[in-house]
Amino acid sequence: MAFSRRESIMLVLAVLVLAVFVVNQLVPAAQRLYASREQAVEDVLLAITREEKLIEDALLWYNRRLDAQIRQADMESLTFIGDTVPVIEASIQRDLTRHARETGLTVNSTGLAEQLESDEWLLISQEMSFLTTDPANIIVFLERLEHSVPRLRVKDFSLDRSRNQFGGDITVVGFARATNISRTIGAGND
C-alpha cells in the first residue's frame, strides 16, 4: 500500500509531533522517576548503614552492661549486706572473730563498732584484742583478712610480746551500701 504525498507528509508530521511529545513529556517523567529511584536507593543504603551502626553499638553497649554487672557483682561480694546497721555490725564482728579463732588466735575482747556514712557508703570500724603463742598464726590471720569475702580491711594493727605470748589489737573496716539501709542508719546509735 502506497501512501500519497499528502499522507506521507502527514505521517512525518505525526511522527515529529510524537517525537516532540516524547521529548517534552516522557523524557522528563523518566528522569524524575530515575532520580526518585536513585534517592530511594540512597535512603535504603543510609538506613542499612544506620542499622549496622546500631547493631554494632548495641553489641558494644551489651558488653559494657555485662562488664558493669560483673563489676557490680564483684563489688557487692566485697561489701556487707544487712537490713539494719546493727545487723551489719554483727556480721563484721562475727567474721573478724571467726577468722581469728580459725587461725589459732584467742579473742580477748571486741569493742563497739563505729560507723561513718559518706554518700552512698557506710564504713563500719571494728576493734578486737587477741593473744597467741605462735606468731605464724598472726600472719595467717592477716592473710585471711586480706582475702576475706566480704572484704575486711585492716585499718590499724599493733602487736606486743610478753614472754612467750603475743598480744595485739587490730581495727578492721567493712563497707556496706548506705542506700540499702538508709532508713535504719540511726538505729545502731540509739
Side-chain angles (χ1 to χ4, degrees):
M1 168 169 172
F3 292 111
S4 68
R5 178 172 165 84
R6 185 173 181 208
E7 289 174 338
S8 295
I9 291 174
M10 287 188 69
L11 186 60
V12 169
L13 284 175
V15 169
L16 284 174
V17 168
L18 180 64
V20 169
F21 176 77
V22 167
V23 169
N24 286 334
Q25 297 297 321
L26 294 180
V27 170
Q31 288 175 337
R32 285 191 301 272
L33 181 65
Y34 180 77
S36 69
R37 182 184 169 279
E38 285 294 315
Q39 184 62 44
V41 168
E42 286 181 26
D43 290 346
V44 167
L45 290 175
L46 184 61
I48 289 170
T49 303
R50 276 192 224 131
E51 288 292 324
E52 288 172 344
K53 179 72 172 140
L54 286 173
I55 290 169
E56 289 174 14
D57 288 349
L59 183 60
L60 174 73
W61 285 108
Y62 177 76
N63 288 335
R64 284 185 180 175
R65 184 174 143 233
L66 286 179
D67 289 344
Q69 287 173 337
I70 289 169
R71 282 193 306 269
Q72 180 181 4
D74 288 344
M75 182 69 93
E76 287 175 359
S77 73
L78 298 177
T79 60
F80 286 85
I81 298 172
D83 293 333
T84 64
V85 173
V87 168
I88 295 170
E89 290 173 348
S91 295
I92 291 172
Q93 185 178 36
R94 181 189 65 239
D95 285 0
L96 180 62
T97 57
R98 179 177 49 86
H99 289 307
R101 288 189 178 114
E102 288 176 357
T103 56
L105 301 180
T106 302
V107 177
N108 280 348
S109 65
T110 56
L112 292 175
E114 296 177 11
Q115 58 182 309
L116 174 66
E117 184 180 356
S118 174
D119 296 327
E120 297 178 8
W121 292 97
L122 180 65
L123 176 137
I124 297 180
S125 179
Q126 178 67 55
E127 295 178 10
M128 181 186 77
S129 296
F130 61 89
L131 286 173
T132 186
T133 57
D134 186 358
N137 293 346
I138 299 169
I139 302 298
V140 174
F141 171 64
L142 292 173
E143 287 174 349
R144 282 191 82 166
L145 290 179
E146 184 177 346
H147 300 292
S148 63
V149 174
R151 184 65 49 97
L152 289 171
R153 300 247 184 226
V154 177
K155 178 182 170 187
D156 193 26
F157 181 78
S158 65
L159 186 63
D160 293 322
R161 182 175 182 186
S162 173
R163 298 187 194 171
N164 61 347
Q165 281 197 336
F166 295 88
D169 294 307
I170 189 167
T171 303
V172 297
V173 293
F175 293 91
R177 296 285 300 205
T179 55
N180 298 338
I181 53 173
S182 62
R183 291 184 210 114
T184 57
I185 287 178
N189 291 334
D190 292 341

